[in-house]
Structures are given as structure tokens and as C-alpha cells.
Amino acid sequence: MTEKKGLDDPRIATIAWSRFRRIMLWMALIGALCVGAALLFLRLWTGPMPVHMIIATILGVWLTFMLGTGLMALVFLSAGTGHDDQVMDRLKDEVPLDD
């Protein structure tokens, strides 16, 4: 039987996913601060805003922030657990390298 590596090992996976959730929680709070800063900036720059603009700003800023955070956190999760090392590149011998 082969040895489990990376996220296949339940102990490593538990630690990695708890760290991922902790990072996402903190970043959600920071994202909320960014939303507040964006709303304050828009209020000072444009004056009173319609409710639709406020809702669109909240959703746009927060979701964009969380999407970027989630993707980067997954990259660090994958690289930090050795999951990237398990990928087999089946085309590496078929693709010629240009010098």
C-alpha cells in the first residue's frame, strides 16, 4: 500500500482545511472593512447614494475581495500540503523545449 501524502492524509487535511477556514474568516472581516472604506469614499466623493448603488458596491467589493482571497488561499493550501508535488505531467516528454 502506498503512503498517503498531502491532502490524502486525514491528519494533514484536517490541519490544512482548518487553517484555510481561519484565513478565510479573517479575510472576510478585512473584506468588510474594505467595503466600509469603499462606501465612505463614495459617500464623500458623490454625496448621497441610492440604495441600489450601496447594495451593488457592497456585493461587488466584498465578492471580488473574497474571490481573490479564496483563490490565493487555495494556491497556498495546495502548495503547502505537497498536493502540487503529486501531479503527474504526462505531456512533459512529448512537448519539446525551445532553446
Side-chain angles (χ1 to χ4, degrees):
M1 184 169 171
T2 62
E3 177 184 326
K4 292 183 178 180
K5 292 183 180 180
L7 293 175
D8 294 333
D9 184 356
R11 185 178 50 84
I12 293 173
T14 302
I15 293 169
W17 284 112
S18 67
R19 186 176 69 177
F20 174 80
R21 284 189 291 276
R22 189 174 58 247
I23 289 171
M24 291 302 291
L25 177 65
W26 278 108
M27 294 309 284
L29 295 173
I30 294 171
L33 290 175
C34 288
V35 167
L39 288 173
L40 179 65
F41 172 76
L42 286 174
R43 170 79 173 159
L44 295 174
W45 192 39
T46 64
M49 296 180 292
V51 72
H52 295 93
M53 184 174 174
I54 294 171
I55 293 170
T57 302
I58 291 170
L59 290 175
V61 170
W62 195 76
L63 290 175
T64 301
F65 186 87
M66 291 308 294
L67 177 66
T69 298
L71 291 173
M72 286 306 296
L74 286 173
V75 167
F76 289 124
L77 173 79
S78 179
T81 58
H83 190 72
D84 290 348
D85 298 333
Q86 293 176 313
V87 176
M88 294 184 317
D89 185 6
R90 295 182 180 165
L91 297 177
K92 72 177 180 179
D93 295 331
E94 296 179 21
V95 178
L97 296 175
D98 294 332
D99 292 322

